[in-house]
Amino acid sequence: MFDVDTDRTLVAAADLVNTSVGLRSATPGLDQLTTVTQLKEYLSARAPDMRWPPSGADRTQLEKVQDLREKVQRIWSAAPIESDAPVRVLNELLHGVGLRVARGSDGEYRAEPVPASKELADVMTASVATAIQHLVVRDETARMRTCKGEGCDAVIIDLTRNRSRLFCDFGNCANRAHVRAYRARQAAHRRTFSSTPEATAPAGPSTRHMDAHTDTLDSPRLVKPSAAEKAAQIEVPTSQSAVAAKEFRDRMRDELMEKREKKSAKKLKKEKKAKK
Ligand SMILES: [Zn+2]
């Protein structure tokens, strides 16, 4: 979305926040940054892309990284940023961070942070704070989100062009949300049927789909109807607006057919005249 290094750093920053205690896709998660070993694990998982050497991890650095995590979490939870308080936290992180121009990992020149020292926590702080700074000055902090999944506190960084990312990768947050939305739609359909007695449930595939699968939460068919089922649902509209839309489509089609028939009849007449 931005440049390759900024994107990577933002993902690493989200991962850092997600080592905190909290719910991950409805499952309680423990703090995963309580020991030097855990910090080394976090760093190793991001090496060599992040240039955050695990060898630099010790007790002092762990405490400083925990402090960095807490500050990044505060900034993240305030996003989209529209007040000065989270910016002040960001400026604390940027304190002592310099700037130089260097080639990024893609070979392009760009401004690169110069950390306050070569200590691991300072190196991490410089790159994370600089990446978040990009979001703030470009008014893109809405990309720092919390997963929309029920019972999930995981943070996500949305690097999609159309800002469409809503769910984390920890569990099945997206799937659970789609199932819930599907059930809500089906409930709305049932309410429509019961309030308009003349609109009886058509015996099409969509009804079968609803009856057979309403209570089987984990059925993938609930989430992804087949192409044939989708087509059948269009042919057998189930909501009032869909009924109206189908009626309109059918009427237009009929009118078009009528016009065509008239036209060809005229043409025939003309041809007959010409022959005479
Ligand atoms: Zn989630």
Side-chain angles (χ1 to χ4, degrees):
M1 182 62 219
F2 302 101
D3 60 74
V4 61
D5 297 310
T6 301
D7 284 2
R8 261 183 207 151
T9 309
L10 289 168
V11 170
D15 291 346
L16 180 67
V17 174
N18 285 334
T19 61
S20 317
V21 62
L23 283 170
R24 302 285 174 262
S25 198
T27 306
L30 298 172
D31 189 336
Q32 283 162 41
L33 206 66
T34 58
T35 65
V36 174
T37 307
Q38 285 178 319
L39 174 57
K40 283 185 175 174
E41 279 167 9
Y42 167 83
L43 298 168
S44 302
R46 274 136 208 98
D49 288 347
M50 287 313 301
R51 284 184 274 174
W52 292 345
S55 57
D58 60 18
R59 195 73 220 170
T60 311
Q61 297 307 309
L62 172 66
E63 279 167 23
K64 287 185 176 175
V65 174
Q66 285 169 339
D67 182 55
L68 167 65
R69 177 180 69 175
E70 188 263 326
K71 287 190 168 118
V72 174
Q73 194 162 25
R74 263 156 66 194
I75 297 168
W76 218 286
S77 61
I81 293 171
E82 281 152 1
S83 69
D84 290 343
V87 174
R88 273 197 292 275
V89 179
L90 179 60
N91 279 334
E92 276 175 40
L93 294 177
L94 284 168
H95 187 77
V97 175
L99 204 64
R100 67 179 197 133
V101 173
R103 289 190 192 274
S105 54
D106 52 3
E108 300 285 322
Y109 279 124
R110 69 176 66 103
E112 188 183 86
V114 179
S117 84
K118 285 192 171 142
E119 284 182 11
L120 175 69
D122 282 342
V123 173
M124 289 176 72
T125 300
S127 50
V128 169
T130 304
I132 295 175
Q133 165 275 139
H134 273 291
L135 296 177
V136 176
V137 299
R138 295 182 199 184
D139 196 17
E140 294 278 7
T141 55
R143 292 179 181 279
M144 292 191 282
R145 305 207 175 111
T146 302
C147 175
K148 293 270 184 214
E150 203 174 71
C152 190
D153 309 325
V155 301
I156 52 172
I157 179 73
D158 183 1
L159 297 173
T160 61
R161 288 210 179 275
N162 56 356
R163 301 165 200 218
S164 57
R165 186 163 180 212
L166 299 175
F167 302 103
C168 71
D169 296 325
F170 280 94
N172 54 353
C173 282
N175 195 44
R176 286 186 301 133
H178 289 148
V179 169
R180 252 199 338 274
Y182 176 83
R183 296 183 111 203
R185 282 198 299 277
Q186 292 298 350
H189 289 166
R190 280 195 291 274
R191 277 198 298 278
T192 308
F193 294 147
S194 56
S195 63
T196 52
E198 71 275 14
T200 50
S206 61
T207 321
R208 269 210 313 277
H209 185 71
M210 179 177 79
D211 290 346
H213 295 286
T214 302
D215 292 312
T216 51
L217 254 179
D218 292 320
S219 166
R221 280 163 59 86
L222 271 181
V223 183
K224 232 179 170 181
S226 71
E229 279 171 322
K230 274 186 193 164
Q233 275 175 345
I234 292 166
E235 277 311 299
V236 188
T238 45
S239 75
Q240 280 172 328
S241 62
V243 169
K246 180 163 163 47
E247 275 174 8
F248 180 75
R249 275 202 311 275
D250 291 348
R251 204 169 65 235
M252 292 302 284
R253 210 177 287 144
D254 291 349
E255 278 176 19
L256 198 72
M257 289 302 287
E258 250 171 61
K259 266 186 197 165
R260 274 188 196 157
E261 271 167 19
K262 274 183 192 165
K263 227 182 183 178
S264 58
K266 259 187 191 169
K267 211 176 162 192
L268 261 174
K269 254 188 185 171
K270 258 188 190 171
E271 279 169 4
K272 272 184 188 170
K273 255 188 184 170
K275 274 182 186 171
K276 277 178 191 173

